[in-house]
Amino acid sequence: MKFASAFMAAALLMASSAYAKDYRIDYGIETATGSDAGATACPYEVCHVKVDKLNLTIIIFLSRNDLSHARIQIEGKPGCCFFELGARSQGIVLSNPPPKLRFFTGTAARGLLYFQNEPAGTLYLRFHFD
């Protein structure tokens, strides 16, 4: 009985650790104030990657059911961060070479009004599915 309990506990621990690290992402960020790069394990659905050196957070939305597309959002200081045309998030196709995303500071689009935002940096992402 003790062996069966130990076996079940080990099986559950292995299963939960597999779900804790569903995929790995390598990232690089270049801004006017500096740059940073790193790698982290991410769960499917929503992943938050904090880049403390640049005071930014990368948010990745990736479904286990569609590994060819993701949605990216970047949060930082007030007025940052937007993508082309003032969009709060950017859809990407996961391909080789990895996507390169320019992001901006300024104002979000409102209705049919788009604002000229200032370039803030570039985000590079590479996804690894095991």
Side-chain angles (χ1 to χ4, degrees):
M1 186 68 175
K2 287 183 183 181
F3 176 75
S5 298
F7 178 75
M8 289 294 289
L12 290 174
L13 285 174
M14 288 190 322
S16 65
S17 67
Y19 279 98
K21 299 178 183 176
D22 287 333
Y23 68 95
R24 192 171 56 87
I25 185 166
D26 299 330
Y27 63 89
I29 301 178
E30 295 176 336
T31 68
T33 59
S35 61
D36 198 8
T40 190
C42 282
Y44 286 100
E45 301 309 325
V46 180
C47 178
H48 294 265
V49 180
K50 293 190 184 271
V51 184
D52 293 328
K53 178 179 176 184
L54 300 174
N55 197 23
L56 295 172
T57 300
I58 306 164
I59 304 168
I60 303 155
F61 303 91
L62 178 64
S63 171
R64 185 183 310 273
N65 299 325
D66 183 7
L67 299 180
S68 61
H69 296 87
R71 181 150 295 280
I72 309 299
Q73 186 174 332
I74 303 175
E75 294 179 352
K77 63 184 178 185
C80 184
C81 301
F82 302 98
F83 293 99
E84 298 289 336
L85 300 176
R88 295 288 302 161
S89 66
Q90 175 73 46
I92 61 172
V93 175
L94 306 182
S95 60
N96 194 10
K100 173 175 88 170
L101 302 170
R102 291 181 33 190
F103 61 96
F104 303 84
T105 59
T107 305
R110 279 188 259 142
L112 296 175
L113 296 175
Y114 291 99
F115 299 95
Q116 181 69 34
N117 291 324
E118 296 294 319
T122 306
L123 172 65
Y124 302 89
L125 299 171
R126 177 173 286 141
F127 292 78
H128 303 277
F129 304 104
D130 297 329

